[in-house]
Amino acid sequence: MGQKSEPPGFDLVYVLRLDHRGHPRGARFNVLKDSIVSAAMDVGCRILIRQPPEVSALARKLPLGYVLGTGKVVKLLIPRIGYDLYRQILEAARAAGIDEETRIAAIISTTVH
């Protein structure tokens, strides 16, 4: 059961990893399912779910991933991608995480007296 077309809306799940030869691989999936996340974790992927717009803009350049199998146990086909795109997405996600932590810390510091 593969994803054949892109539904409207935004991509929910992005997966990135380096394969056994050090080549970057990445894909986007339009549905958030436990089986996809679990399969991505099994092969050591970094999983990005519902990212901010600056990360999503870059991650939308990832090719669609394919899900093989049905049910709880599936296999993912994650294509090779360019190293530059891999690096840019990870850097944007890291920066978004730092921004989020800073924002949360600022909210906490203003609400705690």
Side-chain angles (χ1 to χ4, degrees):
M1 173 173 116
Q3 294 181 348
K4 295 185 180 180
S5 66
E6 249 180 274
F10 59 93
D11 305 310
L12 294 176
V13 183
Y14 308 108
V15 296
L16 297 165
R17 74 179 182 102
L18 294 174
D19 64 16
H20 65 284
R21 293 186 175 161
H23 296 233
R25 292 183 173 269
R28 57 193 163 90
F29 295 90
N30 293 317
V31 292
L32 176 59
K33 290 187 177 180
D34 290 342
S35 58
I36 292 173
V37 174
S38 178
M41 288 172 52
D42 288 346
V43 294
C45 288
R46 169 166 265 160
I47 302 159
L48 306 172
I49 299 172
R50 293 189 182 117
Q51 293 297 300
E54 56 274 5
V55 177
S56 292
L58 287 168
R60 284 185 196 279
K61 296 177 183 178
L62 291 170
L64 268 176
Y66 290 92
V67 179
L68 300 175
T70 59
K72 293 184 180 184
V73 179
V74 297
K75 182 176 180 171
L76 302 180
L77 287 176
I78 303 170
R80 269 191 185 178
I81 60 172
Y83 182 76
D84 286 339
L85 179 59
Y86 176 81
R87 182 185 49 77
Q88 288 171 350
I89 293 170
L90 288 181
E91 285 177 2
R94 192 172 305 118
I98 291 169
D99 289 345
E100 181 70 10
E101 288 174 10
T102 304
R103 188 180 67 78
I104 291 170
I107 290 171
I108 290 171
S109 69
T110 59
T111 57
V112 176
H113 297 282

